[in-house]
Amino acid sequence: MNNILSRLVGDKKDWKRMEARAAALPADYRTVYGEMKSYMWRFTAGDGMDIVEILREILDLFETEAAAGRPVLEVTGPDLAAFCDARLPENDLYSVRLRATLDEVVRKLA
C-alpha cells in the first residue's frame, strides 16, 4: 500500500513540475503544448504514463528550441496532428475528428 501511495504522490509531483516548466514557455509554445496535451490524452492507455513520457520529451524539445529562438511551428511543422500522431502508439480511435480540431489551432496561429 505504501508503495502505491508513494508512486501516486511522486507522479503528481512530477506532473506539477512538468506543468510549471510548460507555463514558463513562450506564449506560442504554451498554446501548442496545451493543445497537443489535450489531443494526446484522448489516446492514453492504462494509467496515462505512456502519454506523460511522450509529453516530457516534447517539453524537453520545446524548451530547447524556444531557448534557441525558433518559432514553434518551425519545430512541429504546420500539421500538429501529424507531429503528435508520429509520437503516439498506433490508434485510429477518433483520429479524423481530433486531427481536424488540432489543425484548427494551427490555422488560428498562422
Side-chain angles (χ1 to χ4, degrees), residues 9-109:
V9 170
D11 290 348
K12 188 173 181 179
K13 286 181 181 178
D14 270 354
W15 180 254
K16 286 184 177 187
R17 280 192 292 271
M18 281 179 56
E19 289 299 290
R21 289 172 54 199
L25 290 169
D28 56 343
Y29 277 87
R30 273 194 320 267
T31 299
V32 169
Y33 178 79
E35 293 298 326
M36 289 170 64
K37 184 171 58 173
S38 293
Y39 176 82
M40 294 176 113
W41 274 120
R42 296 173 184 154
F43 297 99
T44 191
D47 64 359
M49 292 311 294
D50 54 337
I51 300 301
V52 171
E53 285 305 314
I54 295 167
L55 289 171
R56 183 176 286 118
E57 291 170 13
I58 291 171
L59 187 54
D60 291 343
L61 174 67
F62 278 13
E63 287 173 328
T64 302
E65 297 301 329
R70 250 178 109 192
V72 68
L73 294 181
E74 254 184 47
V75 176
T76 63
D79 190 345
L80 288 180
F83 182 86
C84 293
D85 291 346
R87 285 151 181 81
L88 287 169
E90 195 66 34
N91 186 343
D92 288 332
L93 183 68
Y94 307 119
S95 63
V96 172
R97 183 174 55 90
L98 296 174
R99 285 179 61 88
T101 301
L102 196 55
D103 288 342
E104 182 62 29
V105 172
V106 172
R107 281 190 283 281
K108 289 178 183 177
L109 287 173

